[in-house]
Amino acid sequence: MQTVVVEINDQKAFHLLQELEGLNVLRIIKENVSENKTKLSDKYRGVFSKEDAESFNLHTQTMRKEWDNT
């Protein structure tokens, strides 16, 4: 026997797996297994260049000031 982890992208695929379980082809061990939650800062670290990050930060600060002025 071999155990694998599968990410379901479509509900039809999950139903197909349930049918295969009914035919004793496989066994669903756990449903809704959640991954470890990663912080957004860790997830997106290194994605933006330093210049893009500074530009985005400046734009965000400007938008926040606009909200404060209303």
Side-chain angles (χ1 to χ4, degrees), residues 21-39:
E21 184 179 35
L23 295 171
N24 293 322
V25 173
L26 56 82
R27 180 168 57 107
I28 299 174
I29 297 171
K30 289 185 179 181
E31 295 181 33
N32 298 327
V33 176
S34 62
E35 298 178 13
N36 294 337
K37 299 285 182 177
T38 57
K39 296 189 313 183

Side-chain angles (χ1 to χ4, degrees), residues 29-53:
I29 297 171
K30 289 185 179 181
E31 295 181 33
N32 298 327
V33 176
S34 62
E35 298 178 13
N36 294 337
K37 299 285 182 177
T38 57
K39 296 189 313 183
L40 286 177
S41 59
D42 292 336
K43 183 177 180 180
Y44 293 108
R45 179 171 285 129
V47 173
F48 297 111
S49 68
K50 185 175 181 178
E51 294 80 20
D52 286 343

Side-chain angles (χ1 to χ4, degrees), residues 1 44 47 58 65:
M1 256 193 247
Y44 293 108
V47 173
L58 180 62
K65 287 178 185 176

Side-chain angles (χ1 to χ4, degrees), residues 1-13:
M1 256 193 247
Q2 191 175 13
T3 302
V4 296
V5 176
V6 177
E7 181 178 82
I8 308 289
N9 292 329
D10 188 331
Q11 191 62 30
K12 292 178 185 178

Side-chain angles (χ1 to χ4, degrees), residues 22 42 62 67:
D42 292 336
T62 304
W67 276 101

